[in-house]
Amino acid sequence: MGLLDRLQQLRGAVPDDDIAGRTQALVVRGNEFGFDEFGASRDSLRGVLRVARWLYRHYFRASAFGVEHIPATGRVLFVANHSGQLPFDGLVIGAACFLEPPQPRLVRSMVEYFVPTVPFASYLFARWGQITGTPENCRRLLAAEEAVLVFPEGARGISKNFSKRYQLAEFGKGFLRLALEMRAPIVPIAVIGAEEQAPAINVKPLARLLGAPSFPVVPYPPFLPLVPLPVKYRLYFGEPIRMTGDPDDDDEVLDEKARSVKNRIQSMIQIGLREREHVFW
Amino acid sequence: MTDGAERPAARPRTVVVTGISGRLGRIVARRLHHELDWRIVGLDRRPMPGRPKDIEHHQVDLRSKKARDVFRAGEVDALIHLGVMHDPRARPAEIYSWNITGTTKLLEYCQAYRVPKAVLLSSANVYGPRPDNPQFLTEDAPLLAAQRFPQMRDLVEIDHLVSTFLWRAQSTETVILRPVHIVGPVHNAPSNYLRIQRPPVLLGFDPMVQLIHYQDIADAIVAALGPGRRGIYNIVGPGEVPLSAVLRELGREPVQIPHPVAKPILSLAFRLGVSSFPVAELDFIRYVCMVDGRRANAELGFRPRFGLRETIHAVDEPA
């Protein structure tokens, strides 16, 4: 069998997702101009989801496990490990929630405060349903029964060095307070693969010099992790966790609860790592 | 209006409106006149041509003794302060003195002559457009506009003056309205901007904006005059849309300018008189500055009557 045939066969094995139909099935609370209150629009989503699908199915050849834990409706807080220098993990989680369950869901990730200052990203992220990561925004979306994705490791997670892969950085408590206050179930997600997509070290003095949050360097041209390696992504969706308690509790109590979510994700990561045979396939 | 008026009902109630000669002032005065049948007394340093016969008008400076006389003479039932001057071409020191001293004086009169109601028309812009703004600011958000926009300093300071008065002066029910961009056949920054055929926009930025129909503002003011109503309220129109969608709806042809060069280009155009776009307000077409109007909805019962399209097209209405 020639290489071309082999490629054809591989292509055939990939499901042909009905992007248009699925986008139509997404719940977007648009007004008469087609925009929701955060600026998301179905038309923009349709375009970006085509790209996301290609990355998901072909570039990262992602597989998702525990898709039944993605609720079809109702508020939910997705909590995942964060890594890989560039936030492809967010994109892959978004694509999975769009492509895998019977009822596609729009995932709204909480993005860094600097994103609205970057030309194009400023409004494109909004059109694609991504929101500036303020607690008020998250509260509002959960109240509207939407799905919000948070990475409690934040910048510490995405810029971690290669040697720290699959070791969760400290979790903030913000996500937990929001889950308690809004009585939103937490669906933990372990992302396997992203932590190897850019085997980088962070050159801290350069980052300080440039005033950037980090300055990652990879050991191959162009030495900056602009393009992720074609690692294979494996997503594990865990059973929803229903937290109860007072969102204004003492920090120790909240820390304890945040740690329990972190441990849950860490153990899901260990299982995922044990199950996989190779980083790239 | 049936309410707990303490004075005899025979005397028509009197409302003093500052800034009545402006387009918005006239619209508000007309509405009050029609709907409430109140005696209307205008205070403005500009003349008021074409004024209906039964609207009184005093062409005075708010800081002058004559303005005080208006309060001293008549029993004033309410003050509506619309006379905040915001002219990018006037001398800043003069505007500042006019705005701050004028407002201070008005509040003094309200207290001295026991005016039971005072309404300030502030603006949602006092919060300031910022990249880290939550999508919807509530009334307790800090007023940060003055930090980066010297032109907004007056309005922020007036808002602060009146909020202090709100808590201090128990004899006056004070209401501060912070409406989103008011559009219509009026002269204010957002309406002027939306009337430009080729308006400047920033390349790669397209913030969500909130607009409100000028007639809805009159409704909000009428709602604020209701007895027992006091406090600070964001006033929100029919919804949120990207700036680009508004311009498309109006058939404008925006000129994309990269933001690093927008400042020098627009300030040159401003000095040459080619454009009247105040450079300091560039961030208003770059970042979000949107507000949450739920409090006004719950407590004032305010709801906009005009839809998105009607509101957008109101800028092109003949004056």
Side-chain angles (χ1 to χ4, degrees), chain A residues 141-160:
Chain A
L141 285 168
L142 291 176
E145 308 299 340
E146 297 220 27
V148 178
L149 168 63
V150 290
F151 295 109
E153 294 173 273
R156 293 182 300 273
I158 192 163
S159 62
K160 72 178 86 150

Side-chain angles (χ1 to χ4, degrees), chain A residues 17-131:
Chain A
D17 309 288
D18 170 19
I19 298 279
R22 286 201 155 254
T23 314
Q24 212 49 47
L26 271 183
V27 177
V28 180
R29 297 169 295 131
N31 57 21
E32 53 196 297
F33 285 80
F35 298 94
D36 83 350
E37 57 193 5
F38 286 88
S41 97
R42 214 186 285 278
D43 289 339
S44 308
L45 279 164
R46 197 175 294 122
V48 74
L49 284 166
R50 263 178 226 289
V51 179
R53 177 190 169 275
W54 181 82
L55 285 167
Y56 183 84
R57 298 281 189 215
H58 297 275
Y59 193 80
F60 293 122
R61 293 144 291 120
S63 22
F65 307 93
V67 188
E68 67 278 9
H69 297 311
I70 302 173
T73 55
R75 62 187 73 180
V76 58
L77 203 56
F78 291 119
V79 178
N81 54 319
H82 204 16
S83 62
Q85 311 304 329
L86 287 174
F88 283 96
D89 42 5
L91 186 133
V92 170
I93 293 171
C97 294
F98 175 72
L99 296 167
E100 302 288 357
Q103 163 66 37
R105 284 213 72 166
L106 174 60
V107 175
R108 321 209 62 166
S109 13
M110 312 258 282
V111 305
E112 293 282 346
Y113 290 140
F114 71 80
V115 171
T117 68
V118 182
F120 299 102
S122 66
Y123 76 93
L124 286 174
F125 273 51
R127 294 293 166 276
W128 301 337
Q130 312 308 301
I131 54 166

Side-chain angles (χ1 to χ4, degrees), chain B:
Chain B
M1 275 302 238
T2 53
D3 50 60
E6 290 148 25
R7 297 163 212 210
R11 188 181 60 79
R13 314 231 290 161
T14 303
V15 57
V16 172
V17 182
T18 68
I20 198 167
S21 302
R23 298 237 183 114
L24 185 66
R26 269 188 269 184
I27 289 158
V28 169
R30 228 176 289 145
R31 281 292 295 283
L32 291 174
H33 191 56
H34 280 221
E35 276 186 30
L36 298 182
D37 204 24
W38 286 25
R39 184 177 147 242
I40 294 166
V41 181
L43 287 185
D44 202 306
R45 81 212 132 89
R46 299 165 291 186
M48 190 181 180
R51 136 183 86 92
K53 269 213 182 68
D54 36 11
I55 289 185
E56 260 175 63
H57 179 61
H58 299 270
Q59 195 180 334
V60 295
D61 189 316
L62 293 182
R63 296 163 291 184
S64 70
K65 216 176 136 290
K66 279 190 200 141
R68 173 188 285 267
D69 291 341
V70 170
F71 284 85
R72 186 161 29 197
E75 289 186 315
V76 177
D77 295 286
L79 161 74
I80 299 175
H81 187 22
L82 308 174
V84 178
M85 186 155 69
H86 180 66
D87 179 355
R89 299 242 178 233
R91 272 194 323 117
E94 169 57 19
I95 301 182
Y96 184 81
S97 156
W98 164 268
N99 280 333
I100 306 302
T101 318
T103 305
T104 310
K105 288 280 180 207
L106 284 174
L107 296 177
E108 260 176 49
Y109 308 153
C110 281
Q111 200 159 25
Y113 304 108
R114 305 214 149 254
V115 176
K117 173 74 83 177
V119 179
L120 167 73
L121 189 69
S122 177
S123 160
N125 292 340
V126 292
Y127 303 110
R130 299 164 65 81
D132 53 353
N133 268 350
Q135 197 78 356
F136 297 94
L137 295 151
T138 51
E139 286 84 352
D140 46 11
L143 311 186
L144 296 174
Q147 194 186 358
R148 294 180 61 180
F149 312 101
Q151 282 87 338
M152 291 293 300
R153 200 162 39 205
D154 292 12
L155 189 56
V156 170
E157 203 159 319
I158 288 173
D159 195 300
H160 278 310
L161 274 174
V162 179
S163 347
T164 312
F165 182 77
L166 196 160
W167 304 118
R168 202 194 53 206
Q170 291 301 318
S171 58
T172 306
E173 279 174 11
T174 308
V175 180
I176 299 177
L177 301 176
R178 294 184 185 149
V180 299
H181 300 305
I182 301 171
V183 293
V186 293
H187 287 303
N188 61 14
S191 298
N192 293 346
Y193 174 76
L194 291 177
R195 272 191 292 266
I196 305 173
Q197 189 49 40
R198 299 176 62 79
V201 294
L202 295 175
L203 181 68
F205 292 92
D206 186 11
M208 297 293 281
V209 294
Q210 289 169 312
L211 309 174
I212 189 164
H213 195 281
Y214 64 102
Q215 296 278 9
D216 280 330
I217 291 301
D219 280 359
I221 291 173
V222 170
L225 287 175
R229 278 146 189 195
R230 67 190 302 162
I232 304 176
Y233 298 97
N234 294 331
I235 301 294
V236 172
E240 301 78 30
V241 264
L243 178 62
S244 63
V246 175
L247 296 174
R248 204 175 315 123
E249 179 69 21
L250 287 168
R252 308 287 188 250
E253 301 148 60
V255 182
Q256 307 272 351
I257 305 175
H259 75 275
V261 298
K263 219 170 197 171
I265 289 180
L266 288 172
S267 65
L268 182 69
F270 185 83
R271 258 179 290 144
L272 294 175
V274 184
S275 110
S276 57
F277 187 88
V279 177
E281 289 173 15
L282 268 180
D283 276 3
F284 283 98
I285 55 171
R286 188 170 178 198
Y287 301 132
V288 287
C289 180
M290 300 208 297
V291 294
D292 184 327
R294 282 181 291 191
R295 188 193 281 181
N297 189 298
E299 294 179 19
L300 297 182
F302 172 75
R303 231 174 259 276
R305 284 187 296 145
F306 292 86
L308 263 173
R309 267 177 229 279
E310 287 171 292
T311 302
I312 293 171
H313 287 288
V315 284
D316 286 336
E317 272 179 36

